[in-house]
Amino acid sequence: MHFVIMGCGRVGTTLAKAIEDRGHTLAIIDNNTESFRRLYKNFQGQKLTGEGYDRNTQLQAGIEDAYAFAAVADDDNANILAARMAREIYHVKKVVARISDPRRAEVYERLGIPCRFGGIAPPHYCWRESCRYPGCRIYRGTPDI
């Protein structure tokens, strides 16, 4: 399965490692090239510098073939815009967004985009409720993700 992550901070890099450790492919998008230094040294995925809500950047990341998309940058507006694009334009099955403002999160939850509060939920929680792939340990909620 192919995953796309927007945001190469602590949450994004931890999530990327968990996905690659499960044998999945992934692309990670960040608007700051320096952020990719946070990735582990044997990272095999695709690194894209750009805005995660930019259509061309999402296409380069393989959004059309993505099983899941996680918007975990430190910008609520960018996260929700990118998540809505993934869901509504590209029909990605599993989409999650990290949102800092609980009032905004309520609105987006009603739009069908699961939101997680930045810094509170561990990265594996993002996929636990969203990922329903039966062979995935994240699906079973294994805490060692």
Side-chain angles (χ1 to χ4, degrees):
M1 287 189 301
H2 184 67
F3 292 75
V4 177
I5 300 170
M6 181 184 110
C8 194
R10 286 177 294 186
V11 175
T13 55
T14 303
L15 194 53
K17 177 132 178 56
I19 291 167
E20 277 200 340
D21 285 351
R22 302 297 177 276
H24 304 301
T25 62
L26 74 104
I28 191 161
I29 303 167
D30 201 285
N31 59 9
N32 182 354
T33 306
E34 293 295 313
S35 296
F36 297 122
R37 293 186 316 165
R38 294 184 179 113
L39 289 167
Y40 43 98
K41 65 181 175 182
N42 59 346
F43 176 76
Q44 299 294 308
Q46 181 183 13
K47 298 180 272 191
L48 291 161
T49 303
E51 298 297 342
Y53 51 83
D54 177 75
R55 187 179 187 113
N56 290 331
T57 304
Q58 285 192 350
L59 288 170
Q60 289 175 11
I63 194 76
E64 293 175 308
D65 298 318
Y67 173 77
F69 178 85
V72 294
D74 60 1
D75 180 336
D76 284 2
N77 292 327
N79 285 347
I80 206 59
L81 181 58
R84 289 195 68 193
M85 287 177 66
R87 160 90 24 102
E88 296 170 15
I89 296 173
Y90 300 109
H91 308 288
V92 176
K93 292 180 183 182
K94 305 297 177 185
V95 176
V96 66
R98 182 175 86 172
I99 304 295
S100 301
D101 183 350
R103 293 172 301 202
R104 285 183 181 176
E106 289 177 27
V107 172
Y108 297 122
E109 290 273 354
R110 279 187 251 137
L111 290 173
I113 298 173
C115 297
R116 302 293 171 250
F117 299 108
I120 295 174
H124 67 271
Y125 183 75
C126 293
W127 296 111
R128 186 182 321 160
E129 292 184 1
S130 298
C131 182
R132 294 293 184 235
Y133 180 68
C136 184
R137 292 174 70 195
I138 297 171
Y139 170 71
R140 294 193 301 266
T142 309
D144 64 339
I145 305 295

